[in-house]
Amino acid sequence: GVRESEANGAREAEAAAAPGVVETIALGDADGEAKAGDALAKAAERGSWLVLANAHLASEKWLRGLEGRLRSIADAAAPGFRVVLTAECDGSNARLPRRLVARARVVALGAEAGLRAALLRHCALLGDAWPPPVERGRVRCLLALAHAVVSE
């Protein structure tokens, strides 16, 4: 969405201003989590930035392990070492460990306001799941419009 691209642009601009190398790894599967573990050690050794995108998709076990790894390498990390976690936190997926969040600098971007944005969020939640009959889809559209108008 628009807010996501703004957040990515802001993150990339800040990372570009940082000295050294910036590596981005997408989480959400075992392969990404394994790569992130290796990249974390390398970034700490070099003093570079590591961006772990979509942390809300990582397993809870891996996130708890990340908290411990960050704590253990914090003292030995080279100057300039930074880890940036990106996550979508809508309340239903608040799986990030509390201690990890408490030790972090948190930047939150709220959902875009407006009728159009509310309708786009509703459509994104449903995706292509518009089961027959056609009338059911029409009723959902009307309910989404009514909800968006009342919310605004």
Side-chain angles (χ1 to χ4, degrees):
V2 174
R3 298 297 278 184
E4 183 178 331
S5 63
E6 288 176 11
N8 289 339
R11 181 183 72 219
E12 289 169 6
E14 186 176 344
V21 178
V22 177
E23 184 175 357
T24 301
I25 296 181
L27 299 173
D29 59 4
D31 187 42
E33 292 174 2
K35 286 180 186 176
D38 295 339
L40 184 66
K42 289 177 187 174
E45 184 180 306
R46 291 189 306 228
S48 60
W49 285 34
L50 176 62
V51 178
L52 301 175
N54 301 322
H56 61 284
L57 299 176
S59 68
E60 291 182 44
K61 179 181 177 185
W62 189 85
L63 287 170
R64 284 192 304 270
L66 173 65
E67 178 188 359
R69 280 191 297 264
L70 287 173
R71 211 174 323 117
S72 68
I73 64 173
D75 295 332
F81 171 64
R82 300 284 184 273
V83 177
V84 178
L85 285 174
T86 66
E88 292 181 14
C89 296
D90 62 3
S92 65
N93 61 357
R95 296 179 357 185
L96 298 176
R98 289 183 185 178
R99 282 186 270 170
L100 182 63
V101 174
R103 295 183 63 195
R105 292 185 186 153
V106 178
V107 177
L109 297 176
E112 191 174 345
L115 184 63
R116 180 178 184 274
L119 290 172
L120 288 174
R121 279 193 304 273
H122 178 78
C123 290
L125 287 173
L126 286 178
D128 294 330
W130 294 93
V134 175
E135 291 79 14
R136 184 177 297 163
R138 290 180 186 152
V139 169
R140 283 187 176 169
C141 284
L142 289 172
L143 287 173
L145 179 61
H147 180 265
V149 168
V150 170
S151 295
E152 289 300 315

